[in-house]
Structure formats: structure tokens, C-alpha cells
Amino acid sequence: MMSQNNTFNRLKKSSTVFFGLILGLLVSSDVLAECALAEGYKLPNGVVFDEHCEFDGELAPVIKGSKYGFIDKQGVIKIPTQYDFPIAFVEGLASVHKDNLSGYINMQGEVVIPLKYSLTYPFEDGLAVVGVDNRRGVIDKQGQIYSDNVR
């Protein structure tokens, strides 16, 4: 009886590990599929995909050294790797952080809301929360402030 229980427990552990490995491979391949460049193209030397890589439109986040930027599907860096934290596009704008200040850029890499905040959050329904020191406020995509707390 004891050997049957031991065999069952070993099989149970083995199947759990096996299914965990299969699930891990499926998740990994999905993530890698999101980050694939067009066929025949490769990343520039020293550039790697951000761990949360996903092409948003035609751009995906990349890292070079310790700085973040964006690359297109042909491996061309479209937004230079100059930002301090991971950045992602939401509603066409990305919250970016550089030299302890935050703001927003568009898909062409142009600063559309100056880097003057201590923190920024992604846009949702055309509005985003921003902060200066311990004060919070809400802005629209043109940078119009809807709260006196962050002026």
C-alpha cells in the first residue's frame, strides 16, 4: 500500500512539473511572438526587447544599457533609448521619465506634454493622473490641468 501511494505522489509531482513546463513554454512563445521583428531583420547591437514587449501599432519598447526607447518591426530605433523607466503607449501617448521628471511623448517621439511632473500615469478615456511632489491632478492630452493641486 505504501509503495502505491509513493508512486502516485511521484506521478502527481511529475505531471505538475510537466504541465508547468508546457504552460511556461506556451506563455514564453506568446510573449516572444509579440516581440518578433519582421522576417530577415534583427535587433541592433546592444539592444534588447523590454520584458513587457509588445508592438503597439508599429513600435515596441527596447533597452540599451539602462535606457529605454522604441523600435519598429524592421529593427530601426524610432525613439532613442534615452528614458530612465519602461514606457508604454496608451491612447497614442507614452508616459516617459528622464532625470527624475515625467511627461508624455507621441508615436513620433515628440514631447507633447513637457517633462515637468514627478510622476505620470497612462491615459484613460483621454485623461491622466499626474503629480508634483505630494500633489496630484488630472490632465488631458493637450496638457490642460483640471486641478490646482499640480500647478
Side-chain angles (χ1 to χ4, degrees):
M1 183 78 157
M2 188 66 105
S3 67
Q4 284 181 338
N5 282 341
N6 287 341
T7 302
F8 175 75
N9 286 336
R10 283 193 322 211
L11 285 172
K12 186 176 170 185
K13 287 180 184 177
S14 296
S15 65
T16 301
V17 169
F18 175 75
F19 287 116
L21 288 172
I22 295 299
L23 180 61
L25 288 172
L26 290 173
V27 169
S28 296
S29 65
D30 284 347
V31 170
L32 290 175
E34 295 290 336
C35 294
L37 294 177
E39 189 173 332
Y41 294 94
K42 63 181 185 171
L43 290 171
N45 287 336
V47 174
V48 295
F49 280 115
D50 175 58
E51 66 184 62
H52 303 290
C53 180
E54 182 176 335
F55 277 94
D56 181 4
E58 293 295 314
L59 300 178
V62 291
I63 306 166
K64 184 173 184 178
S66 63
K67 300 293 183 178
Y68 293 80
F70 280 87
I71 196 166
D72 69 11
K73 290 184 179 184
Q74 288 74 40
V76 176
I77 295 177
K78 293 295 190 174
I79 298 175
T81 52
Q82 62 181 328
Y83 297 105
D84 298 327
F85 298 109
I87 50 182
F89 282 97
V90 177
E91 296 187 18
L93 296 177
S95 169
V96 295
H97 313 276
K98 185 176 182 181
D99 301 327
N100 294 319
L101 294 173
S102 299
Y104 296 88
I105 61 171
N106 62 19
M107 297 285 277
Q108 291 73 42
E110 302 163 331
V111 174
V112 294
I113 299 174
L115 282 72
K116 64 180 183 178
Y117 300 103
S118 54
L119 64 86
T120 52
Y121 291 92
F123 276 89
E124 184 175 329
D125 297 325
L127 299 173
V129 173
V130 296
V132 173
D133 301 323
N134 291 327
R135 300 169 302 184
R136 303 287 181 270
V138 176
I139 62 171
D140 65 16
K141 289 184 176 183
Q142 289 71 44
Q144 175 68 41
I145 298 173
Y146 289 90
S147 170
D148 288 339
N149 292 337
V150 294
R151 289 184 195 262

